[in-house]
Amino acid sequence: DTGVSQDPRHKITKRGQNVTFRCDPISEHNRLYWYRQTLGQGPEFLTYFQNEAQLEKSRLLSDRFSAERPKGSFSTLEIQRTEQGDSAMYLCASSVNGNEQYFGPGTRLTVT
Amino acid sequence: AQKVTQAQTEISVVEKEDVTLDCVYETRDTTYYLFWYKQPPSGELVFLIRRNSFDEQNEISGRYSWNFQKSTSSFNFTITASQVVDSAVYFCALSEDEMDSSYKLIFGSGTRLLVRP
């Protein structure tokens, strides 16, 4: 059973550019979560999907952020017009219903 | 509001010492889950344990043990006979367990454990 995978692992972009990250959850996990982690802090919740439905979004998720999970499988997180404050590690996790969440390796975003 | 506090920012021990990582939580929910995750230098969060708020029994898994005390809202983690491979950042987390809950995790700020040879 493969774990959660994320792509790319690292992304360097210039301020103002758009970026998109992908997350492939553990197969048959119906719930998928996105978190953001900045240096020295714990991960913070961004948004959550149950199958293909996006059911909750954090107030941290500004209008420049959008997430999708078409067909309830992989998910994408897009950041438009990136800002330096968006630099962080973006973590994806999946679970079966309310059970423990398993995390991917993360995508480290650096906005220059 | 839910909150998790890990007051110890960094702990340094010598190999084979026992070490306890503290976690204090706040929640108004009557049912909830508590978690510990390990984040080694590679960066990937590794699940260690999940406990339901109704189950206050201590748990032991090899060199790891957890002490859950509802009366003090604490869920502490002890590593016995620490090893260099235990060096990592450890996160305590909380999620609600209500109907239609998202089960999103609320993390503490983490405790960095350094085990010296």
Side-chain angles (χ1 to χ4, degrees), chain A residues 31 33 35 37 56 98 101, chain B residues 37 50 101-105:
Chain A
R31 294 189 180 218
Y33 301 81
Y35 293 84
Q37 185 178 22
E56 187 170 338
Q101 295 176 28
Chain B
Y37 282 85
R50 180 181 79 149
S101 171
S102 68
Y103 296 98
K104 65 187 177 194
L105 296 171

Side-chain angles (χ1 to χ4, degrees), chain A residues 4 9 31 33 35 37 40-45 48 56 89 91 97-105, chain B residues 33 35 37 39 42-47 50 91 95-96 100-110:
Chain A
V4 178
R9 294 291 305 276
R31 294 189 180 218
Y33 301 81
Y35 293 84
Q37 185 178 22
Q41 299 298 316
E44 294 176 291
F45 169 77
Y48 135 76
E56 187 170 338
M89 177 77 87
L91 296 165
N97 296 324
N99 293 329
E100 57 270 18
Q101 295 176 28
Y102 291 91
F103 283 79
Chain B
Y33 287 103
F35 303 79
Y37 282 85
Q39 190 171 43
S42 60
E44 190 161 339
L45 281 160
V46 177
F47 167 78
R50 180 181 79 149
F91 290 98
S95 77
E96 61 184 4
D100 297 328
S101 171
S102 68
Y103 296 98
K104 65 187 177 194
L105 296 171
I106 307 298
F107 284 88
S109 54

Side-chain angles (χ1 to χ4, degrees), chain B:
Chain B
Q2 296 179 319
K3 185 179 178 181
V4 175
T5 302
Q6 295 180 255
Q8 304 152 308
T9 305
E10 189 165 324
I11 300 175
S12 181
V13 300
V14 176
E15 206 170 17
K16 297 184 184 176
E17 283 185 18
D18 299 346
V19 58
T20 295
L21 309 182
D22 297 333
C23 173
V24 174
Y25 63 92
E26 297 174 30
T27 181
R28 286 178 290 192
D29 297 325
T30 53
T31 58
Y32 49 90
Y33 287 103
L34 295 164
F35 303 79
W36 277 94
Y37 282 85
K38 174 182 180 180
Q39 190 171 43
S42 60
E44 190 161 339
L45 281 160
V46 177
F47 167 78
L48 296 178
I49 189 171
R50 180 181 79 149
R51 297 308 299 274
N52 183 288
S53 55
F54 291 117
D55 183 1
E56 286 192 70
Q57 280 195 351
N58 291 337
E59 180 152 341
I60 299 175
S61 176
R63 297 185 296 106
Y64 294 171
S65 62
W66 291 270
N67 183 299
F68 175 27
Q69 292 197 340
K70 235 173 169 177
S71 60
T72 56
S73 298
S74 65
F75 186 45
N76 296 338
F77 173 31
T78 297
I79 302 175
T80 303
S82 59
Q83 299 176 1
V84 172
V85 293
D86 295 328
S87 296
V89 180
Y90 290 86
F91 290 98
C92 181
L94 166 72
S95 77
E96 61 184 4
D97 179 24
E98 306 292 342
M99 186 178 293
D100 297 328
S101 171
S102 68
Y103 296 98
K104 65 187 177 194
L105 296 171
I106 307 298
F107 284 88
S109 54
T111 296
R112 180 177 299 278
L113 174 64
L114 175 62
V115 182
R116 310 187 310 274

Side-chain angles (χ1 to χ4, degrees), chain A residues 2-60:
Chain A
T2 58
V4 178
S5 61
Q6 292 187 245
D7 184 70
R9 294 291 305 276
H10 303 274
K11 178 72 177 178
I12 300 174
T13 190
K14 292 185 177 179
R15 189 176 52 187
Q17 298 295 304
N18 299 343
V19 294
T20 300
F21 310 141
R22 177 180 171 125
C23 170
D24 286 89
I26 295 171
S27 58
E28 300 179 359
H29 277 198
N30 60 336
R31 294 189 180 218
L32 187 147
Y33 301 81
W34 285 98
Y35 293 84
R36 181 171 70 186
Q37 185 178 22
T38 54
L39 203 60
Q41 299 298 316
E44 294 176 291
F45 169 77
L46 291 178
T47 189
Y48 135 76
F49 291 84
Q50 182 165 314
N51 300 312
E52 67 277 5
Q54 187 175 19
L55 297 183
E56 187 170 338
K57 292 193 289 187
S58 162
R59 57 183 172 78
L60 293 176

